[in-house]
Amino acid sequence: MKPVNLLCMLALPAIWGASFLFMRIAVPQLGALNTAFLRVLFSSIGLLAILLLLRTRWRFQGKLHIALLLGTLNAGLPFLLFSIAARSLPAAYLAVLNATAPLMGALFGALFFSEKMERRQILGLLLGLAGVGILTKVGPVAMHGPQVWALAACLLATSCYGVSGFLTKRLINDRGGLDSKLLAFGSQLGATALLLPFFAIQLTDASNPLRDHAVSIAPGTWFALLGLGLMCSALAYILFFRLIADIGPVKSLTVTFLIPVFGMLWGKLFLDEPLSWAYAGGGALIGTALLLVLKPASAQAGDSKLAR
């Protein structure tokens, strides 16, 4: 693996782990929809500034509409779903559940993209489900109505990630590719377009904090939104799309191995969220599941030869 790809795989978990911290700060004051929309809006603005600063040539090669469509799956819907979940679940929960993205990728790859699923991958999916079960049963947050819906929202969001990774490979990378900065910008524009009508409708509600009370919103909330948009979305998606182009969608999703670690760390340091052995138990099972799902078949074959 190239050093630059390894660096991306180390930087992305720290950046995306911080996104759950930022959501936990912004959502209680702004609401889920406002947070998700402003995240993709700031991300689009940040990416536009990067493209202009780097004088990137606007060569979408006829793939702009695909990038916009992908943005609904890899940003718009999952950002909104995780923002909804952030109302009821701590950052550590969100980060651990986010780690199921590669499992969803493997499942949907087998169901819809003709990807072969081996026994070890089936076992990995079962272990992943067991890890989620441990987290929900013995974790520090009692799972009642709102928390159960938040859990479902997280899993639906990671399903979006799993599907969008394969669609990016098939519709973009297998058709000549596209500059990762342009792809990231197009996807964030698509996410912004998806959420804009709902944001506009909600803005007419007198209780919306952005309507008449935007000035009273705490500076820390605006900082969290800027962190979500510029760092956790604009910068992160440039890095992520570059990884997909270089090493493929499933391997790229291995960055989720370390996201729970950073999610728990940032939640503890900045929000004083409680830690629990349930995180270790559920996280270990999900981590083992990822190893089984993402381990290359050739490596497995090589191991069996050495065992003989």
Side-chain angles (χ1 to χ4, degrees), residues 210-300:
L210 291 177
R211 180 175 174 176
D212 300 314
H213 309 288
V215 178
S216 64
I217 295 174
T221 302
W222 289 113
F223 175 81
L225 283 172
L226 289 173
L228 277 171
L230 300 180
M231 184 175 69
C232 300
S233 300
L235 174 61
Y237 270 82
I238 289 175
L239 299 178
F240 184 61
F241 284 129
R242 174 167 182 163
L243 275 181
I244 290 179
D246 288 349
I247 65 175
V250 175
K251 288 183 179 179
S252 297
L253 286 171
T254 58
V255 299
T256 53
F257 274 114
L258 292 177
I259 290 177
V261 177
F262 284 102
M264 286 183 275
L265 177 63
W266 303 145
K268 178 62 178 177
L269 288 178
F270 296 101
L271 298 178
D272 197 28
E273 292 183 349
L275 297 178
S276 168
W277 285 108
Y279 294 145
L285 279 178
I286 292 174
T288 303
L290 296 181
L291 285 173
L292 290 171
V293 168
L294 300 172
K295 184 179 179 182
S298 57
Q300 187 186 38

Side-chain angles (χ1 to χ4, degrees), residues 7-81:
L7 180 61
C8 288
M9 294 190 72
L10 292 175
L12 274 172
I15 294 172
W16 271 333
S19 69
F20 305 107
L21 165 69
F22 292 145
M23 280 188 282
R24 288 285 292 168
I25 294 172
V27 168
Q29 189 166 5
L30 295 178
L33 181 56
N34 288 336
T35 299
F37 174 76
L38 290 175
R39 175 179 183 175
V40 294
L41 177 64
F42 289 160
S43 176
S44 298
I45 295 172
L47 284 165
L48 177 61
I50 291 173
L51 291 172
L52 293 176
L53 182 64
L54 297 179
R55 298 182 179 180
T56 303
R57 297 182 64 183
W58 296 78
R59 297 180 57 188
F60 281 95
Q61 305 171 42
K63 301 185 181 77
L64 176 58
H65 65 291
I66 298 176
L68 293 172
L69 177 62
L70 287 173
T72 65
L73 280 177
N74 63 35
L77 284 174
F79 288 177
L80 177 59
L81 290 166

